[in-house]
Amino acid sequence: RRFGSQVTILQRSGQLLTREDPDVAEAVAQILREDEIDVRLQAETVHIAPGPERSITLTIRGADGERTLSGSHLLVATGRTPNTDRLDLSAAGIPTDEHGYITTDERLRTPVAGIYAIGDVKGGPAFTATSFDDFRIVKTNLLEGGDATTSGRLVPYTIFIDPQLGRVGLTEKEARAQGRPIRIARLPMDQVDRALEVDESRGFIKAIVDAETRQILGCAVLGFEGGEVMAMLEIAMLGHLPYTVLKDGIFAHPTLAESLNGLFETLDA
C-alpha cells in the first residue's frame, strides 16, 4: 500500500487473526484501514477468473450479496500442508495424523522407537524458534542425558505488521475458557512516552494476570516494537515473577520498558 498499490484483504471469518482476542483483532483491522487497506470480513470467494489485460477477477459473497473485484495480483493464504508424503514413512511404520503431520509425544518421540520428529513436520506453530527449541529438547535428552519436554513451554510470536503485534501465553479468551480467575491490565500506546516520541502511538498493551497468584499468564502487545515489549513480559513469565515486580520496577526513561509500570498500575488504580 505504501508503494502506491490499492490493497484489499478478504477474510472468510468474522474477524482477522482468528486466534487472537476480538479486541486485538479489531484494533489490527482498524490500523490497516487507517493505512487505507480495504479489509472485508465474512467475505467468501466464490469464483476466480482471468480478466482483461492480465488482470484477475474475483467474485465474492458477503453480507451485502455478491460483488466483483479485480486486481493485478492475488495472494491466497490457506494454511500449510506438510511434505511428509515424500519421506516414505510407511516403510518405517511411522504414522501421521489426518493432516499428514507426524505424531510425537512431549519428548518428540514418534511411536517407532529411536525415531524423533522436530520442526514443522510434526505440526503445531510453524515458527523458527519452535523448531530450534525442538532441537534443544532432543539434544538435551539424547546427548546430555537430560529430561526436557515440550510440556508447558511458552511459544511467542510476532506479526510484523506496522506497528507490530507480539503475543505469548494465554489470550483472555483462552484463560476464561479454562475457568481461571483473571484480571486484565491494559494500556493504550498513546500513554507511552516513547511511542509518542516516534509518532507511532496506535495500539495497546494487554496482559492477562492470575487474580490469585499475580502471575502473568499471557500478553498481546500491539504497538511500536510490540515484539520487543512482548519479549520483556515473556522473560518475566519465564522467571515466574508476579506482575507487581514490573509495576514497581525502575526502567530508563524514555524507553518502551517503562510502559510496564503504567500497564500494571492499571490493576491497582
Side-chain angles (χ1 to χ4, degrees):
R1 178 68 192 99
R2 291 173 179 175
F3 280 118
S5 298
Q6 293 182 337
V7 178
T8 300
I9 296 176
L10 303 174
Q11 172 72 24
R12 185 167 56 183
S13 66
Q15 77 170 52
L16 289 178
L17 306 174
T18 55
R19 295 182 181 180
E20 306 296 335
D21 284 328
D23 57 342
V24 175
E26 177 54 35
V28 169
Q30 180 59 36
I31 287 172
L32 294 176
R33 289 176 176 131
E34 288 174 1
D35 288 343
E36 299 182 341
I37 294 174
D38 185 4
V39 179
R40 303 191 184 197
L41 305 177
Q42 294 182 316
E44 180 184 3
T45 300
V46 295
H47 186 68
I48 302 174
E53 298 182 356
R54 294 189 174 183
S55 65
I56 302 169
T57 300
L58 273 70
T59 301
I60 62 171
R61 181 183 299 122
D64 56 351
E66 290 193 356
R67 300 189 63 182
T68 299
L69 304 177
S70 63
S72 58
H73 295 76
L74 174 64
L75 172 64
V76 181
T78 59
R80 295 174 177 173
T81 301
N83 58 3
T84 51
D85 57 328
R86 306 178 186 179
L87 300 179
D88 196 16
L89 296 174
S90 60
I94 300 174
T96 59
D97 64 16
E98 64 272 20
H99 301 295
Y101 292 109
I102 297 174
T103 57
T104 65
D105 64 11
E106 62 183 11
R107 290 172 177 79
L108 304 176
R109 298 174 296 197
T110 71
V112 179
I115 299 181
Y116 298 75
I118 67 175
D120 299 354
V121 76
K122 66 174 180 47
F127 302 136
T128 301
T130 311
S131 296
F132 187 80
D133 192 61
D134 287 350
F135 156 74
R136 178 193 63 81
I137 290 171
V138 173
K139 177 177 72 73
T140 298
N141 296 342
L142 291 184
L143 302 182
E144 301 172 2
D147 189 30
T149 74
T150 61
S151 179
R153 71 178 176 182
L154 295 174
V155 180
Y157 59 88
T158 298
I159 301 175
F160 289 95
I161 52 179
D162 191 7
Q164 299 171 9
L165 171 61
R167 271 270 299 112
V168 69
L170 296 178
T171 64
E172 177 183 354
K173 181 169 53 178
E174 289 169 338
R176 294 194 186 283
Q178 293 179 12
R180 289 175 176 262
I182 61 172
R183 302 178 67 193
I184 306 298
R186 183 182 176 108
L187 182 72
M189 290 300 290
D190 62 11
Q191 294 184 24
V192 178
D193 288 347
R194 183 61 177 165
L196 293 172
E197 288 179 351
V198 298
D199 197 27
E200 181 51 278
S201 59
R202 297 181 294 180
F204 57 88
I205 308 173
K206 176 180 180 179
I208 294 84
V209 173
D210 188 294
E212 297 174 349
T213 67
R214 297 186 175 184
Q215 294 288 306
I216 303 168
L217 302 176
C219 72
V221 184
L222 175 62
F224 174 65
E225 296 293 356
E228 305 297 336
V229 179
M230 174 273 291
M232 288 187 279
L233 287 162
E234 181 188 6
I235 291 170
M237 294 167 67
L238 290 168
H240 303 288
L241 296 179
Y243 79 86
T244 50
V245 173
L246 299 181
K247 178 177 74 73
D248 298 329
I250 299 177
F251 301 100
H253 173 80
T255 64
L256 289 169
E258 67 178 348
S259 65
L260 302 180
N261 295 143
L263 172 67
F264 292 113
E265 284 173 357
T266 64
L267 293 179
D268 298 330

